[in-house]
């Protein structure tokens, strides 16, 4: 009988990983133990992936509030600093904001509206329309914002992030002024010293502000991009991709991950004789249709992966073939015709009608999103994901 199973994604349980642990051995041994306990064999082109969190924990890649404060003060001075376009997150940004607040006398906090960059809404777009506000040009003071929209809380967390960030800054000893705007240049009416906290639009934001006259200008990717008093760091992404570890510390996005994935691949080849691809993954890239959050709060989905995961899918759309080229066929004849078409397909189907409707995204973004959904972010205890059959197609038996 033909194989009836396509792609399978398994969450693999692993020990609780601590600083200094051998992540290469732990991942390899956990995958091998999973295969043995569940009675399946590893195959060529399987994918083993691990969360960025466990890699960073093993590396000990942490920074404290005081480390952040020292770096901010050295780069931006200790007077008034504009902090613009942060995401609304206790996990992702609150500890970073504490570090910034401890370094300066005053923060002018400029929030985008109606939502942050990744879709966390302060208010609805309908409410903005009803208020007669133009979000592309209008700058709102805190007083005007409250008069128009009141005290909205996040639908999932129940937090009023405006009040939460304001109180957090004051608790750190800094003064705070909160404004709402979507034009980065508006911050320059308050201060020329700016930290851009946006993630995926940061390069454009910095370019615009630099051209408009910003003086000391940094992104979160440039804070903690080198060690401070022996702390962790990330040379490429700084504080971007960091998560709350404790009330006084963040876990940074992992660094030097390529050596990790390459070493795991080598150990798996030695143990199984199979060529298995390996990657590190962070947040997936997908949008929640109800909460409107599109998840990707990390700067990239995958900071490192083995060479076989480079590129994009090269797939034919089966329903297109069935409805068009082979519309007159059915049953076994249709099956064999489609198999033949797959076997003779070009190495590059870009622009070909028969590939229309296939997902035009990088393999690492697709697979990383699958991994993120498989492992979750709670108490499943499966920071490793094993994917089988991802590179199979209709011809594989």
């Amino acid at each position: 009988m033909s194989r009836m199973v396509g792609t399978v994604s398994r969450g693999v349980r692993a020990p609780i990983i601590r600083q200094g642990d051998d992540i290469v051995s732990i991942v390899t041994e956990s995958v091998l133990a999973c295969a043995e306990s569940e009675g399946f064999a590893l195959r060529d082109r399987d994918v083993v992936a691990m969360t960025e969190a466990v890699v960073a924990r093993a590396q000990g890649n942490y920074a404290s509030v005081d480390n952040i404060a020292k770096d901010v003060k050295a780069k931006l001075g200790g007077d008034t600093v504009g902090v613009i376009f942060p995401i609304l997150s206790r996990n992702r940004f609150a500890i970073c904001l504490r570090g910034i607040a401890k370094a300066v006398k005053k923060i002018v906090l400029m929030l985008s509206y109606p939502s942050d960059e990744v879709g966390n809404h302060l208010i609805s777009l309908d409410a903005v329309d009803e208020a007669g506000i133009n979000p592309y040009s209008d700058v709102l003071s805190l007083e005007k914002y409250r008069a128009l929209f009141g005290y909205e809380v996040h639908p999932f967390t129940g937090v009023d992030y405006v009040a939460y960030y304001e109180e957090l800054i004051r608790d750190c000893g800094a003064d705070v002024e909160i404004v709402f705007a979507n034009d980065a240049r508006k911050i320059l009416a308050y201060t020329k010293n700016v930290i851009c906290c946006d993630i995926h639009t940061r390069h454009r934001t910095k370019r615009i502000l630099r051209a408009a006259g910003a003086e000391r200008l940094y992104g979160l990717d440039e804070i903690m991009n080198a060690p401070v008093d022996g702390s962790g760091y990330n040379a490429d992404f700084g504080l971007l991709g960091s998560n709350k570890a404790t009330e006084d510390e963040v876990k940074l996005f992992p660094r030097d991950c390529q050596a990790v994935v390459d070493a795991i691949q080598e150990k798996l080849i030695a143990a199984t004789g199979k060529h298995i691809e390996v990657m590190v993954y962070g947040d997936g890239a997908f949008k929640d249709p109800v909460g409107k959050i599109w998840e990707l709060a990390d700067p990239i989905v995958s900071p490192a992966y083995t060479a076989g995961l480079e590129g994009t899918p090269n797939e034919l759309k089966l329903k297109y073939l069935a409805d068009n080229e082979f519309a007159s066929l059915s049953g076994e004849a249709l099956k064999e015709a489609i198999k033949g078409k797959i076997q003779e397909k070009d190495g590059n189907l870009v622009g070909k009608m028969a590939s229309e409707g296939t997902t035009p995204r990088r393999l690492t973004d697709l697979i990383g999103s699958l991994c993120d959904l498989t492992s979750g972010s709670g108490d499943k205890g499966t920071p490793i994901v094993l994917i089988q059959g991802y590179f199979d197609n209709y011809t594989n038996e």
Side-chain angles (χ1 to χ4, degrees), residues 101-342:
K102 286 190 71 173
V104 302
K105 293 179 181 177
K106 180 179 179 179
I107 286 177
V108 180
L109 180 64
M110 193 169 88
L111 301 174
S112 57
Y113 72 96
S115 71
D116 69 10
E117 180 185 4
V118 298
N120 291 297
H121 277 69
L122 288 170
I123 48 178
S124 71
L125 192 55
D126 289 335
V128 172
D129 292 341
E130 290 168 8
I133 297 297
N134 183 343
Y136 299 103
S137 60
D138 290 349
V139 180
L140 307 179
S141 66
L142 178 59
E143 292 72 25
K144 186 170 183 180
Y145 172 86
R146 291 300 192 195
L148 289 170
F149 305 115
Y151 290 77
E152 293 281 342
V153 298
H154 191 281
F156 291 159
T157 65
V159 173
D160 178 342
Y161 280 96
V162 178
Y164 174 63
Y165 283 170
E166 180 181 26
E167 182 179 355
L168 184 154
I169 293 167
R170 293 195 191 282
D171 285 348
C172 291
D175 193 11
V176 58
E177 182 174 358
I178 299 178
V179 296
F180 303 81
N182 293 308
D183 182 345
R185 294 168 295 187
K186 300 298 184 182
I187 194 65
L188 300 179
Y190 302 87
T191 177
K192 298 294 193 295
N193 302 327
V194 184
I195 299 176
C196 302
C197 301
D198 45 342
I199 305 163
H200 307 290
T201 56
R202 64 189 185 275
H203 298 299
R204 177 176 183 267
T205 300
K206 284 188 277 188
R207 172 174 55 78
I208 289 170
L209 284 172
R210 194 171 290 113
E215 294 174 358
R216 294 186 179 185
L217 176 63
Y218 291 87
L220 280 185
D221 56 326
E222 297 167 296
I223 307 297
M224 297 308 305
N225 59 352
V228 175
D229 296 335
S231 71
Y233 67 98
N234 190 300
D236 296 318
F237 300 118
L239 285 173
L240 291 181
S242 64
N243 295 86
K244 178 179 179 179
T246 70
E247 293 301 325
D248 296 299
E249 197 171 46
V250 290
K251 176 199 61 60
L252 301 171
F253 211 52
R255 61 181 192 270
D256 306 324
C257 295
Q258 193 61 47
V260 174
V261 297
D262 289 342
I264 293 170
Q265 184 179 62
E266 289 175 8
K267 286 181 76 75
L268 286 170
I269 289 172
T272 66
K274 304 299 181 181
H275 188 92
I276 295 169
E277 305 296 346
V278 184
M279 67 182 286
V280 178
Y281 67 94
D283 273 352
F286 45 82
K287 185 168 183 175
D288 172 8
V290 176
K292 313 300 182 190
I293 303 166
W294 68 280
E295 184 67 13
L296 186 55
D298 286 325
I300 49 176
V301 173
S302 177
Y305 48 88
T306 50
L309 297 177
E310 187 63 58
T312 58
N314 190 56
E315 300 172 343
L316 295 169
K317 196 75 168 179
L318 296 191
K319 65 182 182 182
Y320 177 86
L321 295 175
D323 291 344
N324 290 273
E325 188 169 344
F326 304 126
S328 63
L329 302 179
S330 62
E332 193 65 24
L334 175 60
K335 178 180 177 180
E336 292 305 314
I338 287 178
K339 281 187 174 183
K341 197 72 175 178
I342 292 171

